[in-house]
Amino acid sequence: MNAAAIADTATRTVLLVDDHPIVRDGCRRLLAGSFRVLEAESAETALDLYTAGRPDVVILDLNLPGMGGLEAVRRLRDGDPGARILIFSMYDDPLFAARALQAGAKGYITKNDAPEALMTAIGTVLDGGVYLNHTMARELAVMSYAPRGNPLQTLTPRELEILTLLGRGLAMADIAQSLGISHKTVYNLCTQIKDKLGAKSTRDLIRISIEHHLPG
């Protein structure tokens, strides 16, 4: 973002959602000169803050306690289809970026990217664009045409969310409560996940989640 663009954003609000205080502190220092910054350490708090203040951009970690990041994206977009959400994650796997964009996010940036990349990503999302760095964009393009080598690519964002929560050790009843859906829906989706991944039991799904290092 150039100086003029930054000046234009000075009255805009960013909602920063991350459960690590040190990450929020670093981002706050980076953004404070250009934006009004709100903070939340959970998706549940973020939803309340968004409803109350309608910030211009949400910077959202995928790996959150309680409700996960993908579910938070869906709920934010359900409440406001125009919500501009930028995923800020430690995971550089293009699978997570693809699922985040499918859920409604407008960009994906990793915590290994340079600080100025975060400012560029915010500017892109504010301008109505979609942000991916060149490497991630290229990998997503290759992934879309390549044979499906990663079995998780066959999962929908909702199925990936449930698999992630299973890997965290949540029971089906807890997953249903966290996602705001019925126990029967969770059970049916777990059956679909098993069919797609060739798993025989919930224990197998937990193992797969852990082996693929899903956010947990």
Side-chain angles (χ1 to χ4, degrees), residues 8-14 34-37 56 84 126-127:
D8 288 340
T9 66
T11 59
R12 296 195 175 185
T13 302
V14 169
S34 304
F35 300 95
R36 175 172 173 256
V37 181
D56 297 284
R84 289 172 287 201
L126 278 173
D127 288 340

Side-chain angles (χ1 to χ4, degrees), residues 9-32:
T9 66
T11 59
R12 296 195 175 185
T13 302
V14 169
L15 173 56
L16 176 62
V17 189
D18 196 291
D19 62 323
H20 294 96
I22 193 168
V23 173
R24 295 200 308 273
D25 182 68
C27 289
R28 186 194 320 117
R29 292 171 184 270
L30 176 65
L31 301 175

Side-chain angles (χ1 to χ4, degrees), residues 105-175:
K106 295 299 182 182
Y108 191 101
I109 186 169
T110 76
K111 294 178 181 178
N112 291 324
D113 287 325
E116 55 267 26
L118 178 59
M119 298 298 289
T120 299
I122 294 171
T124 299
V125 172
L126 278 173
D127 288 340
V130 174
Y131 179 85
L132 293 168
N133 67 35
H134 295 304
T135 300
M136 186 69 72
R138 183 174 64 252
E139 290 178 349
L140 279 177
V142 170
M143 190 175 73
S144 66
Y145 289 105
R148 292 184 178 272
N150 185 339
L152 300 190
Q153 289 180 232
T154 64
L155 302 183
T156 66
R158 173 69 83 183
E159 291 166 347
L160 188 64
E161 186 89 34
I162 289 174
L163 184 63
T164 298
L165 294 176
L166 285 172
R168 293 183 187 175
L170 271 67
M172 288 193 186
D174 296 325
I175 293 173

Side-chain angles (χ1 to χ4, degrees), residues 2 21 28 40 99 164 183 204 215:
N2 59 36
R28 186 194 320 117
R99 292 300 181 258
T164 298
H183 183 277
D204 287 341

Side-chain angles (χ1 to χ4, degrees), residues 70-92:
L70 287 176
E71 178 64 17
V73 172
R74 279 191 290 270
R75 294 200 186 185
L76 286 166
R77 295 278 293 178
D78 285 346
D80 177 12
R84 289 172 287 201
I85 305 165
L86 174 65
I87 299 300
F88 185 47
S89 174
M90 65 179 287
Y91 298 98
D92 59 5

